[in-house]
Structure formats: C-alpha cells, structure tokens
Amino acid sequence: AAARGCGGVWRRAWQRGAGGPVRAPRGRRAVACNAKGGAVPAGKSGYGAGTARGEGLVEVALCWGIPPAGSSRGMGAGPSLQPPGLGTRGTAVLNRRCVEAAVMTGLALNCSINKKSLFDRKHYFYADLPAGYQITQRRVPIAVNGSLSYSLFIDNKMSQIVTKTVRIKQIQLEQDSGKSLHDDTRSQTLVDLNRAGVGLMEVVMEPDMCCGEEAAAAVRELQLILQTLGSSQAVMAEGQLRVDANISVHRPGEPYGVRTEVKNINSVRFLAKAVDYEIQRQIEELENGGTILNETRAFDSKLGCTVPMRDKEGKQDYRFMPEPNLPPLILYDAKSLPANTNHQQVVNIDWIHERLPDLPSVKRAKLVEQYGILPEHSFTLLNEDGLAEFFENVVKQTQMKPKKVIGWILNDLLSYLKQHSLTVKESPVSSFVLADLLNLLEKKDISSAAAKQVLVELWKGEGKTPLEIVKEKKLELIQDQKELEQICQAVIDGRENEVMMMVLG
C-alpha cells in the first residue's frame, strides 16, 4: 500500500523544504514558495499549491493529568510495567503547573485567555485509550483568537527574510492516550500506555499556510517559544511535540476542498515534506478526475510519502458530555482577584503576563541591535539550543569585536559540532577557552592560521589552554624587530649562492 501511494520510483526533481532539498516522487511537481512567501500555483485545472488549505494541529506534552504517585513515566521513557494513570475515579485532579503553562503559552501567542473554561469527555474506543474516553475542552477552551509570526528565507537566501503570520484558533488542555506500536514482522500491534493519562496542550492553527516550508517555519518558531517559556522542552523526536496537519486544495474563489489529516508528524523536516507531498497528491488526484477521501494518513519518512491509515467518511459520534469530575476552570486577573485570596490556590493571568520572558523575536532583535550582527545570524544563534548564550559569553570575555566573534562561532564552532553530532553543551571547547584563543589572536600574539591550528588541538579535549598549545607548537608571532632581522640574516647567510643569483638577476 505504501509503494502504491508513493508511485514507487524516484526521479531527481528537487524541491525546497525545511532542512534542505527534498527529492520528489516521479510524476509529481515540486512545491515551492514564491518570493512573497506564497506557493507557486500548479495544474492546468486551476488547482494549485497557492490555493491549498493547510491547518496545523500542534500537540505539546505537559504535566497535566496525574499519573500514579512516584511514577517516572514521561515522553521518551522506555516500556514500563507500572500501572498508568488511566483517568479512573479519584485521579482526575487538575495540575496547576499545566494551567499556568497553557496561560503563559496563550499570552505569548497573543491569545485571549478565558477566565472560565470547561472540560468535556470525548468517548471513543481504541486499545490505546483504556478509560474509553478522553478529557478535553470542546466547548470553551482555555485560550482563543491568537497569532504567531514567523520568518521565511526567500529562495533559501539567508539575507532575504519575509515575515508571515498564522492565526491561532484556540489552545485547549487535553488528556493524552497511549501509543499503538505496529509490528509488521510479527503481524501484531502492541500498546504502550506510558503516556495514557498524561496531559497535553493542543494549539489549533487556522488555514493560513500554503506550503510545507511555511508550516515548518511556523512550527519551528512555536517550538522556540515553548522552549523559551519553559512550557515544554518540545523535543519532537521524543514525542514532546507532535503535529497533525490537515490539508486540502481548491480552485481560487471556491470553498475549501475535502481535507485529509496527516497524523503524528515527529520532525519539522518531515512536516515540510508531508505537507508538500500531500498537496501535490491531491492536485494530481483531482486533475485525473478522482476524488479526495476524508481520511487519516501517516507520513512514511523512508518512502517520503503519505499513506492511508483509516477513513473518516462515516461521521463518528464521540458522545461529548461535560466532564463530571472536573468543575469549570476559573482564572483571575488583578481586577477580579477576590480579597484575602490564597495565591497558591488560584492562577492570576496578570501575574503570569508580567513574568513572561523575552520571546525569540525580541531576542533576535536585541542581538542584532546590541552586537551589530546580521539578522540572519541571529536566527542561527537562536535555532541552536544554547548557542546564543555561548556567543554572548565569548563576547563578554574577549576583546574581539562581536562581528568577528560571530564568524568563529558559526563557521568554526558550529560546523565542528554538527560534523560530530554534538550539542553546544557537549562542546569540548568552552566559551571561556574560545575567548582566550580569540584574545591571543586579537592581541596579534598569533596569526589567524595559527589560531585555527590551536582550535584543532582544543577539539581533542586534552585540557590544555590555548597559550600552552601556542608555546608547545611554537606558533607565536615574533614582535621583536631585532629578532626578526637576525632570523632574516641567518636565512641569507645560509643561502649565499641563491642570494647572489638574485642580486645578479
């Protein structure tokens, strides 16, 4: 089924996407955003990526729902034989930290925070949902009507940046289910209940994105915001952030077409590929006289295509009902906070708003203004966890100008880390040691070539200081004029014949 869905054979047609070029399957046109950030229309029938509907649902794992006391289960945890928190009677207790994180995220995304939100039960029967229902917020979610601004590099040129905005429909708190693990070798499905009962936050975006590149850029910015807030570590590979992308295409001026939902995308790069593939699959299907099924699909990262999971043609009755074990969630601001209130028992929206940290967009602007670096460099600094702090620490400890420091950070440090699959925190060269090296270079004690040679030695992590390596390798620049003259004279004296030939011409 997967091979049929992909077309089976690849050709070398390259398309842009987050994380580099992506090969497109034969018979499918590549999707690319144009200079204004929109997608390039395609198709003789009038369908095109520029008219595509892309509605992203982003789920962020948080510590809501209460697992058993002492349980260490969480995202990325291995199999466990401990009984999970299944939402059974007595376990449906709301986690204050989760509510605060949701409010903080809503404020960061310019949402209106509902002072009163409600909980509902959504009933369905899957093996990964032992309780038979999911706690969610269908009627009145915790936050609504926000926006997220994100940036795109035009034609992959770092110096040409366009800023776009996607509307945030709502943010809701939910209870997570377990995870089905399909073992094709043994023809069986296993169920991992480590996540069952754990809370998550779902961010619902409006259909304002028209290609995979835009979806990937928006989710990456959201990921940085969540990490900055501390709402989530948002490591997609560990399931801490998952994306469900709803995609449809339609002719200009016509209503949205039938949409498909690509579930549980676990990387920004795969998100870009999945959205672009699904757009072109639907366009091709419609141009050939076919129809789009309202179905759930999965993205096969090995084959680079989406494959069917289950259809949604029969409308499922989830039998929504108010959650009987959780009363309405009441939040306060400075004006509505009752007198003599125990602050540990309430969530104050204004108190949270006052303590919001600088968001990534503000941090980037400050880096550019304070250090005079290029805007595109500020994006790279923030995209790598801990790199901006590393850069600022080096600047504080060295006499070199920030514009020169950034070159060593991005061209030498970051290249080495990526080559060896290391994080900034795992770097064998600390900010203090790199600053020492750059100080030697700035004082002209060593040349630039010598500095790079010293850096190669520092990567070995042997604990030597830059100065020790310089002396050991005799890399110092000679500053004494007389010493230089003596060296030159010794060279001339040792090459009398060559000198004579040069003199005689």
Side-chain angles (χ1 to χ4, degrees), residues 153-154 156-161 374-376:
F153 295 110
I154 301 175
N156 283 340
K157 296 178 181 177
M158 294 291 287
S159 59
Q160 299 183 37
I161 303 173
L374 297 175
E376 54 265 32

Side-chain angles (χ1 to χ4, degrees), residues 16 34-37 149-164 213 217 221 361 364-365 368 373-380 383:
R16 281 190 301 134
N34 61 28
K36 295 182 180 180
S149 294
Y150 61 95
S151 297
L152 290 169
F153 295 110
I154 301 175
D155 298 327
N156 283 340
K157 296 178 181 177
M158 294 291 287
S159 59
Q160 299 183 37
I161 303 173
V162 61
T163 299
K164 306 200 75 175
E213 187 177 8
E221 187 70 9
S361 58
R364 286 191 285 261
V368 171
I373 62 176
L374 297 175
E376 54 265 32
H377 291 164
S378 70
F379 278 89
T380 306
N383 282 344

Side-chain angles (χ1 to χ4, degrees), residues 391-402:
F391 165 73
E392 290 188 289
N393 287 336
V394 173
V395 170
K396 290 175 184 176
Q397 299 170 82
T398 185
Q399 301 165 10
M400 183 177 285
K401 291 183 179 180

Side-chain angles (χ1 to χ4, degrees), residues 254-322:
E254 293 186 356
Y256 289 133
V258 175
R259 68 182 183 179
T260 60
E261 182 180 25
V262 184
K263 296 285 289 185
N264 289 328
I265 305 171
N266 62 0
S267 86
V268 170
R269 184 165 59 93
F270 291 162
L271 172 62
K273 291 182 178 182
V275 170
D276 284 345
Y277 178 90
E278 188 61 19
I279 287 173
Q280 289 305 322
R281 185 193 70 83
Q282 292 186 23
I283 291 173
E284 185 178 273
E285 185 72 29
L286 293 169
E287 288 181 344
N288 290 334
T291 58
I292 304 301
L293 299 179
N294 181 14
E295 62 182 349
T296 297
R297 300 177 72 88
F299 180 69
D300 189 316
S301 58
K302 294 181 180 178
L303 297 174
C305 68
T306 64
V307 294
M309 290 175 62
R310 57 181 180 269
D311 69 73
K312 297 182 177 180
E313 294 303 316
K315 185 175 181 181
Q316 187 167 358
D317 181 10
Y318 291 113
R319 296 182 292 117
F320 282 100
M321 60 173 283

Side-chain angles (χ1 to χ4, degrees), residues 203-223:
V203 179
V204 184
M205 298 179 183
E206 296 283 8
D208 296 334
M209 297 167 287
C210 65
C211 64
E213 187 177 8
E214 291 187 4
V219 169
R220 177 55 181 149
E221 187 70 9
L222 176 61
Q223 190 178 31

Side-chain angles (χ1 to χ4, degrees), residues 11 72 102 125 166 191 209 211 213 258 260 269 281 435 452-453 474 498:
R11 70 180 176 90
S72 59
F125 298 96
V166 57
V191 179
M209 297 167 287
C211 64
E213 187 177 8
V258 175
T260 60
R269 184 165 59 93
R281 185 193 70 83
K452 290 185 181 295
Q453 188 175 343
K474 298 181 179 180
E498 289 86 345

